[in-house]
Coordinates of all heavy atoms in Angstrom, one line a residue:
R17 N 126.6 49.5 87.0 CA 127.4 48.4 86.9 C 126.6 47.1 87.1 O 126.9 46.0 86.4 CB 128.4 48.4 88.0 CG 129.6 49.5 87.7 CD 130.6 49.6 89.0 NE 131.5 50.7 88.6 CZ 132.7 50.4 88.0 NH1 133.0 49.2 87.5 NH2 133.4 51.5 87.7
Y18 N 125.7 47.0 87.9 CA 124.9 45.9 88.2 C 123.8 45.6 87.2 O 123.5 44.4 87.0 CB 124.1 46.2 89.6 CG 124.7 45.4 90.8 CD1 125.3 46.2 91.8 CD2 124.6 44.0 90.8 CE1 125.9 45.5 92.9 CE2 125.1 43.5 92.0 CZ 125.8 44.2 93.0 OH 126.3 43.5 94.0
Y19 N 123.5 46.7 86.4 CA 122.3 46.5 85.5 C 122.6 45.3 84.5 O 123.8 45.2 84.0 CB 122.2 47.8 84.6 CG 120.9 47.7 83.9 CD1 119.7 48.1 84.3 CD2 120.9 47.4 82.4 CE1 118.6 48.2 83.5 CE2 119.8 47.4 81.7 CZ 118.7 47.8 82.2 OH 117.5 47.7 81.5
P20 N 121.6 44.4 84.3 CA 120.3 44.4 84.7 C 120.0 43.6 86.0 O 118.8 43.3 86.2 CB 119.6 43.7 83.5 CG 120.6 42.6 83.2 CD 122.0 43.2 83.4
V21 N 120.9 43.5 86.8 CA 120.8 43.0 88.2 C 120.6 44.0 89.2 O 121.1 45.1 89.1 CB 122.0 42.0 88.5 CG1 121.9 41.4 89.9 CG2 122.2 41.0 87.5
A22 N 119.7 43.9 90.1 CA 119.5 44.8 91.2 C 119.9 44.2 92.5 O 119.6 43.1 92.9 CB 118.1 45.2 91.4
L23 N 120.9 44.9 93.3 CA 121.3 44.5 94.6 C 120.2 44.6 95.7 O 119.7 45.7 95.8 CB 122.6 45.2 94.9 CG 123.0 44.8 96.4 CD1 123.5 43.4 96.5 CD2 124.2 45.9 96.7
L24 N 119.9 43.6 96.4 CA 118.9 43.6 97.5 C 119.6 43.3 98.7 O 120.4 42.3 98.9 CB 117.8 42.5 97.3 CG 117.1 42.6 95.9 CD1 116.1 41.5 95.9 CD2 116.3 43.9 95.8
A25 N 119.4 44.2 99.8 CA 119.9 44.0 101.2 C 118.8 43.7 102.1 O 118.0 44.4 102.3 CB 120.6 45.2 101.7
L26 N 118.8 42.3 102.4 CA 117.7 41.8 103.3 C 118.1 41.3 104.7 O 119.3 40.8 104.7 CB 117.0 40.7 102.5 CG 116.6 40.9 101.1 CD1 116.1 39.6 100.3 CD2 115.4 41.9 100.9
R27 N 117.4 41.6 105.6 CA 117.7 41.3 107.0 C 116.6 40.5 107.6 O 115.5 41.1 107.7 CB 118.1 42.4 107.8 CG 118.8 42.0 109.2 CD 119.4 43.1 109.9 NE 118.4 44.0 110.4 CZ 118.6 45.1 111.2 NH1 119.9 45.2 111.6 NH2 117.6 45.8 111.6
E28 N 116.8 39.3 107.9 CA 115.7 38.6 108.6 C 115.5 39.0 109.9 O 116.4 39.5 110.7 CB 116.1 37.0 108.7 CG 116.2 36.4 107.2 CD 116.6 34.9 107.3 OE1 116.9 34.4 108.4 OE2 116.7 34.3 106.1
K29 N 114.3 38.9 110.5 CA 114.0 39.3 111.9 C 114.8 38.5 112.8 O 115.0 37.4 112.8 CB 112.4 39.0 112.1 CG 111.9 39.6 113.4 CD 110.4 39.3 113.6 CE 109.9 39.9 114.9 NZ 108.5 39.8 115.1
G30 N 115.4 39.3 113.8 CA 116.2 38.8 114.8 C 117.7 38.7 114.4 O 118.6 38.4 115.2
S31 N 117.9 39.0 113.1 CA 119.4 38.9 112.6 C 120.1 40.3 112.7 O 119.4 41.2 112.3 CB 119.4 38.4 111.1 OG 120.7 38.3 110.7
A32 N 121.3 40.3 113.0 CA 122.1 41.5 113.0 C 122.7 41.8 111.7 O 123.1 43.1 111.4 CB 123.1 41.4 114.2
E33 N 122.7 40.9 110.8 CA 123.5 41.1 109.6 C 122.6 40.9 108.5 O 121.5 40.2 108.4 CB 124.6 40.1 109.5 CG 125.7 40.2 110.4 CD 126.4 41.5 110.2 OE1 126.6 42.1 109.1 OE2 126.9 42.1 111.2
A34 N 122.7 41.8 107.4 CA 122.0 41.9 106.2 C 122.5 40.9 105.2 O 123.7 40.6 105.1 CB 121.8 43.2 105.6
R35 N 121.7 40.1 104.5 CA 122.0 39.2 103.5 C 121.9 40.0 102.1 O 120.9 40.7 101.8 CB 121.2 38.0 103.3 CG 121.4 37.0 104.6 CD 120.5 35.7 104.4 NE 119.1 36.1 104.5 CZ 118.3 36.1 103.4 NH1 118.8 35.8 102.1 NH2 117.0 36.3 103.5
E36 N 122.9 39.7 101.2 CA 122.8 40.3 99.9 C 122.4 39.3 99.0 O 122.9 38.3 98.7 CB 124.3 40.8 99.5 CG 124.8 42.0 100.3 CD 126.2 42.4 99.9 OE1 126.9 41.6 99.1 OE2 126.7 43.3 100.4
Q37 N 121.3 39.8 98.4 CA 120.6 38.9 97.2 C 120.3 39.8 96.1 O 120.6 41.0 96.2 CB 119.4 38.2 97.8 CG 119.7 37.1 98.8 CD 118.5 36.1 99.3 OE1 117.6 36.6 99.8 NE2 118.6 34.8 98.8
F38 N 119.6 39.3 95.1 CA 119.6 40.0 93.7 C 118.2 39.9 93.3 O 117.5 38.9 93.5 CB 120.7 39.6 93.0 CG 122.0 39.4 93.5 CD1 122.5 38.3 93.9 CD2 122.8 40.6 93.7 CE1 123.8 38.2 94.5 CE2 124.1 40.5 94.3 CZ 124.5 39.3 94.8
S39 N 117.9 40.7 92.4 CA 116.8 40.8 91.5 C 117.1 41.0 90.1 O 118.1 41.7 89.9 CB 115.7 41.6 92.0 OG 114.4 41.4 91.5
L40 N 116.3 40.7 89.1 CA 116.5 41.1 87.6 C 115.7 42.1 87.2 O 114.5 42.1 87.4 CB 116.3 39.6 86.9 CG 116.9 39.6 85.5 CD1 118.5 39.8 85.6 CD2 116.6 38.5 84.7
V41 N 116.3 43.1 86.6 CA 115.6 44.2 85.9 C 115.3 43.9 84.5 O 116.2 43.6 83.6 CB 116.4 45.5 86.0 CG1 115.7 46.6 85.3 CG2 116.7 45.7 87.5
K42 N 114.0 43.7 84.2 CA 113.7 43.5 82.7 C 112.8 44.6 82.2 O 111.6 44.7 82.6 CB 112.9 42.1 82.7 CG 113.8 40.9 82.7 CD 113.2 39.7 82.3 CE 114.1 38.5 82.2 NZ 113.5 37.3 81.7
E43 N 113.5 45.5 81.3 CA 112.7 46.7 80.8 C 112.5 46.3 79.2 O 113.3 45.7 78.6 CB 113.4 47.9 80.9 CG 113.6 48.1 82.5 CD 114.5 49.4 82.7 OE1 115.8 49.4 82.4 OE2 114.1 50.4 83.2
P44 N 111.3 46.9 78.7 CA 111.0 46.5 77.3 C 112.1 46.9 76.3 O 112.3 46.3 75.2 CB 109.7 47.3 77.2 CG 109.1 47.5 78.4 CD 110.3 47.6 79.4

């Protein structure tokens, strides 16, 4: 469903919650 976007779950040091950010998939 996300393609070509990739879901990233990132948590900063000291934080209890993860932030949802994204990346782009680029395939030839």
Side-chain angles (χ1 to χ4, degrees):
R17 289 173 181 272
Y18 261 107
Y19 190 85
V21 177
L23 173 66
L24 306 176
L26 306 174
R27 188 171 70 173
E28 296 179 357
K29 187 175 181 180
S31 174
E33 295 296 327
R35 292 183 295 107
E36 291 181 352
Q37 291 189 292
F38 312 96
S39 187
L40 197 61
V41 180
K42 283 194 173 182
E43 297 175 299

